[in-house]
C-alpha cells in the first residue's frame, strides 16, 4: 500500500512516520516538500505519487496567532484540506484528515460526541471546522479524526514547555479551569492507522483516556519527571483561573471528547498519564 503523509515535520507527522504499518510504502512530505495551500501543487503531487491513502497531518496550529492571521489560518485549515480530499478522491485514494476539540465551545459539561453541534470560539477552531466541511464535501467517505492537547517527544508542546519552566523558574502558574485530555502523538498515530485500516469514515474522536486540567497535567509532568530524574527539584505549581492568563484566542473550558465509536473499532486508549510516563522516559533516553 502506498501512503502519502503531509505535514511530516510536525508532532503528528513524525509520529505517523514512526508507527507506519509494516509493508507500507510511505512518502512523508514536510511543508517544503508540499505546501498544502497550493491547490495545483497538491493535485499534481497526488497524481504523481498515486497513493492508496493520504493522511493530512499539516495544519496552521498557532491558536493565538490565528486571531490576527485569519487569512493564513483559513488557507491552510479550511481550504487546503479540501484540495487534498479532492485530489485523493480523483486518484482513487482514501483520505484521512485531523481536526480538533476546539470546534466546540466547551459549555456542554459532558464529553462531546462526534455528532454534537459545533460552536468554535476562535479563528483556529472556526477554520478547522470549515476544513472538516470542505473535506466531507469533497469526499463523503473521508475519515476525520478530531483530537486534543497533542504532545510528542519533539516539537513545541505543553509537556516540553513545562519541563523547561520547571527547570528555570522557582514557581509555575498553570490554568486550572480548562479541562481536556492530554494526548500522546504516538498513540494518536496508532489509532489513525487502525481506524483507517478498518475503513472508518466520517468524523471520529480520539484522545488518550481520562481527563485533566492543565494544572493537573502540569503536576503530573513534574511528578513523573522527578521520578525518573528528568527534573532534579520540585517547584511549587499554582492553579490559576483562565482570567489570570489572558490569551488572544478564547479556549473551551471543557472539551473532553466522547470516543466510544472509535474505541469500538480500535480498542480502549491508554490513560493519558501512562502515555505521559512513556513519553518522558523517551525524552530521558534520548538525552
Ligand atoms: N497540537 C495540538 O494540541 C492539537 C490539538 C487538537 C488537534 N490538533 C490537530 O492535529 C494535527 C496535527 O497537529 P500537530 O500537533 O502535529 O501540529 P504541528 O506540530 O504544529 O505540525 C503541523 C505541521 O504542519 C505544517 N504546515 C503548516 N502549514 C503548512 C502548509 N501550508 N503546507 C504543508 N505543511 C504545513 C507545519 O510546518 P511548518 O512549521 O514548517 O509550517 C508543521 O510541521 C493538526 O490538524 C492539528 O490541528 C492538534
Amino acid at each position: 500500500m502506498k501512503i502519502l503523509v503531509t505535514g511530516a515535520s510536525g508532532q503528528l507527522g513524525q509520529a505517523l512516520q514512526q508507527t507506519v504499518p509494516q509493508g507500507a510504502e510511505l512518502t512523508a512530505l514536510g511543508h517544503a516538500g508540499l505546501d498544502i495551500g497550493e491547490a495545483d501543487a497538491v493535485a499534481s503531487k497526488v497524481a504523481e505519487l498515486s497513493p492508496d491513502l493520504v493522511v493530512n497531518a499539516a495544519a496552521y496550529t498557532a491558536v493565538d496567532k490565528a486571531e490576527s492571521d485569519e487569512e493564513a489560518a483559513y488557507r491552510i485549515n479550511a481550504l487546503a484540506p479540501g484540495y487534498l480530499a479532492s485530489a485523493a478522491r480523483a486518484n482513487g485514494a482514501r483520505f484521512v484528515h485531523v481536526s480538533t476539540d476546539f470546534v466546540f465551545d466547551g459549555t456542554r459539561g459532558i464529553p462531546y460526541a462526534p455528532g454534537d453541534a459545533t460552536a468554535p470560539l476562535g479563528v483556529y477552531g472556526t477554520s478547522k471546522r470549515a476544513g472538516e466541511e470542505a473535506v466531507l464535501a469533497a469526499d463523503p467517505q473521508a475519515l476525520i479524526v478530531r483530537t486534543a492537547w497533542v504532545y510528542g517527544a519533539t516539537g513545541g508542546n505543553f509537556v516540553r514547555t513545562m519541563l523547561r519552566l520547571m527547570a528555570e523558574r522557582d514557581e509555575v502558574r498553570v490554568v486550572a479551569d480548562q479541562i481536556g485530555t492530554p494526548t500522546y502523538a504516538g498513540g494518536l498515530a496508532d489509532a489513525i492507522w487502525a481506524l483507517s485500516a478498518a475503513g472508518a469514515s466520517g468524523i471520529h474522536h480520539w484522545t488518550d483516556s481520562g481527563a485533566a486540567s492543565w494544572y493537573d497535567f502540569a503536576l503530573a509532568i513534574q511528578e513523573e519527571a522527578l521520578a525518573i530524574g528528568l527534573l532534579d527539584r520540585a517547584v511549587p505549581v499554582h492553579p490559576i483561573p483562565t482570567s489570570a492568563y489572558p490569551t488572544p484566542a478564547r479556549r473551551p473550558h471543557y472539551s473532553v471528547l466522547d470516543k466510544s465509536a472509535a474505541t469500538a473499532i480500535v480498542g480502549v486508549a491508554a490513560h493519558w498519564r501512562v502515555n505521559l510516563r512513556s513519553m518522558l522516559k523517551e525524552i530521558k533516553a534520548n538525552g
Side-chain angles (χ1 to χ4, degrees):
M1 181 165 72
K2 285 160 77 175
I3 301 174
L4 168 61
V5 169
T6 58
S9 308
Q11 300 190 92
L12 178 59
Q14 299 265 336
L16 286 165
Q17 291 171 74
Q18 285 158 10
T19 56
V20 71
Q22 270 198 345
E25 188 187 320
L26 175 70
T27 303
L29 299 176
H31 197 158
L34 177 63
D35 181 340
I36 64 163
E38 299 291 335
D40 292 346
V42 166
S44 58
K45 186 57 84 176
V46 173
E48 173 199 324
L49 294 170
S50 188
D52 303 296
L53 173 66
V54 178
V55 183
N56 178 34
Y60 185 108
T61 55
V63 174
D64 288 315
K65 196 167 162 224
E67 293 297 310
S68 54
D69 198 10
E70 202 167 336
E71 190 277 327
Y74 266 78
R75 192 163 43 81
I76 298 158
N77 290 345
L79 301 178
Y83 304 154
L84 283 162
S86 297
R89 191 175 186 192
N91 287 276
R94 296 251 310 131
F95 183 59
V96 180
H97 181 59
V98 182
S99 192
T100 172
D101 56 330
F102 280 25
V103 299
F104 298 115
D105 65 8
T107 57
R108 188 163 188 254
I110 59 170
Y112 283 96
D116 284 338
T118 57
L121 295 174
V123 170
Y124 169 75
T126 307
S127 68
K128 292 291 290 184
R129 175 61 191 147
E132 294 178 352
E133 288 171 333
V135 166
L136 292 176
D139 178 5
Q141 293 308 311
L143 168 64
I144 295 174
V145 181
R146 288 193 190 128
T147 189
W149 295 27
V150 177
Y151 66 89
T154 58
N157 58 56
F158 184 80
V159 179
R160 287 162 52 91
T161 301
M162 280 299 126
L163 290 174
R164 179 173 52 77
L165 294 180
M166 286 166 175
E168 286 172 6
R169 297 193 181 170
D170 293 327
E171 57 181 7
V172 177
R173 289 171 205 286
V174 187
V175 169
D177 56 0
Q178 288 171 29
I179 315 285
T181 308
T183 300
Y184 179 50
L188 172 63
D190 284 336
I192 287 173
W193 293 129
L195 285 166
S196 163
S201 66
I203 299 177
H204 282 269
H205 285 173
W206 187 265
T207 62
D208 287 354
S209 288
S213 68
W214 290 112
Y215 168 67
D216 298 321
F217 191 20
L219 277 184
I221 292 164
Q222 177 163 257
E223 284 177 17
E224 298 291 347
L226 284 168
I228 60 168
L230 205 51
L231 290 172
D232 56 17
R233 61 175 188 144
V235 299
V237 181
H238 303 291
I240 58 167
T242 299
S243 57
Y245 187 71
T247 52
R250 289 171 64 210
R251 288 162 165 77
H253 276 294
Y254 182 91
S255 59
V256 176
L257 299 178
D258 175 343
K259 50 190 178 296
S260 41
T263 299
I265 299 170
V266 173
V268 177
H271 189 269
W272 65 263
R273 187 152 180 158
V274 171
N275 276 343
L276 171 65
R277 198 172 296 143
S278 330
M279 178 269 200
L280 291 174
K281 283 184 183 152
E282 194 181 328
I283 290 186
K284 172 88 175 166
N286 295 338

